[in-house]
Amino acid sequence: MIRVDGIHKSFGSVRAVRGISFEAPDGRVTGLLGPNGAGKSTTLRILYTVMKPDAGSASIDGHDVVKSSLDARRCTGTLPHGAGLYPHLTARENIAYFASLCGIERGNIEERVENIVDLLEIKDFADRRTKGFSQGQRTKVALARALVHDPQNVILDEPSNGLDVMATRSLRELILKLKDAGRCVLFSSHVMQEVAALCDDIVIIADGRVAIDDTAEGIREQTGCDDLEDAFVAAIHRVSPE
Amino acid sequence: MIRTIFTVFSKEVLDNFRDRRTLASALLMGPLFGPLLFAFVINLSIERSLSDVEKTLELPVLGVEYAPTLIDYLKSRNLKIIEAPEDREAAVASVKSGLHDVVIIIPGGYGEQMANGIPAKVELVSDRANTAADRDARRVRNVLYAYNQELAAIRLSARGVSPLVLRPLNIDDIDVSTASGRSGILLGMMSYFFIFAMLMGGMYLAIDTTAGERERGSLEPLLALPVTRDRLILGKIIATCLFMALSLMLSLISFFFALKFIPLQELGMTPNFGPKVVVAAFFLLAPFILLGASVMTLVASFTKSYKEAQTWLSVVLLAPTLPILIVSLLTLRPRLEFMFVPSLSQHLLLINMVKNEPVNVLHVVISVTSTLLLGGLLTWLCARLYRREGLLG
């Protein structure tokens, strides 16, 4: 379970995140929704500990992302935006490298990799070098790599970017599988339909602040819009009226 | 801790062994380029120095008709007399412009002066500022001196005086430089080839540690893993060191074989570069590996892209030449304080060995420890900088 409590982050004079708070509970899919530049990626980067918040705090399964970042990372699988693979290694080697770095016993690595290869249905190209993979294949391998240590929490930054219909579909199935297994899934997107189709809870972010944090149903009620897209626009206008 | 570093290390080694560009620069470029260029330069200079004595030199002489005996003498000394410019002024101008390297002018009064026993005037026009031309001028001048001596001896004999009167001194030139010693000058450039090959070998790995990982988009997933960044960068730097060591070893070996095919003896050099020296040179240069790896990683970590990193690292490739160049230009002898300067200390000690001179143990100790310490310090700095957020670009 992921908890974010009033985090702030500035880059020079740009205030990317100004006081974001929300919770992503286990067994649910939480969507971070917002226009480009709203602060979604920065929030997620703080969560997967490659950045530190200027103020506020965040924790994953009770581990503070600043004070015990190693523990926080240990129980999190991360797919950063535009995640790349090592082109000279095969898909399997890419996954095994991360498995080893996650501290999985050497004897168990092969089995783990095999399981995740089955789960993500990447067997067909698992033994090919990843140079020249399609965006869909790359995303699948990157996901497998992120999930190989069986993390309780999964953070995905715009995972459906550049995926075709079939790949998006299998990604959606995977996210639902993780949810059913009781995992906490947090993912960001700027596509309303995608979030609406998948998420139990939606956190709409605009201008570095939380505009609304509710279920899809709740958001419709709060904004008085039947259409989610209208609701999205209405919510954003609450924070940045221009 | 060890396991993580080893995981990163072995992945980097595997990854880079499959990368043709890295392999080419580590195992081909450095080790082959150095010896080839070296062999080329040496062969060129051998050809030049040999041809100078044997080659017929074309010598324009103005006033050939005034001194037939002198002309015969010049011809007998492998000089080919060719037509000179029409007058003295034109002759001087032709040397000035570089048309001729040297011109001899025999004035009209030569025959008369010679017959009367007065020193006969002969003019030799040359440009001493032009070193290449000066060599030919010196050769002609020596031939003239020899003719002078010969004539004088004949004249003395004709008067019943021993020609030895002209030689009150018997000057014997004793050259103490050994054949190995003379090699040192030319082989001085060798040490830079080794350092160059070494740096080339690790360049792509050093770039990959930061700029490469970032450009590929694999840096963030890597940093999001439950591993401290110190271990990641240590594993990467050690892998960089391995490639550099490999490249150094190969270039030492290729030099060892290349020297067998270069006729250095003809230049009066016998470099001391046997198998023992090759091994010793490896351990002498090895401390520079860590320093080179950390400097390259450090420089690459400040760049925004792979291209930019390549540009900056080509500057780093040149940096170790600077102290070597300065010391070579000033022809300074090895001194204690030089041993604190990386690249320079390795260069001086290597020359020492190649010249077959005794190597000062204290110098070696200082060179090894100071280079290693600096390398360690820079590695620590790399690790510190790997922690900053700006790394993500």
Side-chain angles (χ1 to χ4, degrees), chain A residues 9 45 48 50-52 70 73 80 83-89 93 97-98 100-101 104 106 129 145, chain B residues 3-4 7-8 11 14-15 18-19 213 216-218 220-229 389 392:
Chain A
K9 182 75 185 176
R45 278 173 156 184
Y48 58 75
V50 298
M51 279 183 181
K52 289 189 180 74
L70 266 182
R73 272 181 267 165
L85 307 171
Y86 298 104
H88 301 294
L89 302 187
E93 283 165 345
Y97 177 46
F98 270 44
S100 177
L101 286 179
I104 294 172
R106 200 159 296 162
R129 294 196 188 168
R145 203 170 63 170
Chain B
R3 193 195 145 190
T4 311
T7 301
V8 177
K11 177 255 157 194
L14 179 69
D15 196 350
R18 286 182 185 170
D19 185 4
E213 289 263 12
R216 213 185 301 116
S218 51
E220 276 193 54
L222 186 65
L223 297 182
L225 290 174
V227 180
T228 63
R229 295 191 188 181
E389 280 176 10
L392 299 177

Side-chain angles (χ1 to χ4, degrees), chain B residues 284 349 352-353 357-364:
Chain B
L284 184 72
L349 289 171
N352 243 211
M353 289 199 301
E357 289 172 357
V359 174
N360 186 324
V361 178
L362 180 66
H363 284 191
V364 175

Side-chain angles (χ1 to χ4, degrees), chain A residues 92 117 121-128 133 137:
Chain A
R92 213 183 278 275
V117 163
E121 293 157 358
I122 54 181
K123 210 165 197 118
D124 294 345
F125 48 88
D127 292 306
R128 260 173 44 204
F133 270 23
Q137 290 171 324

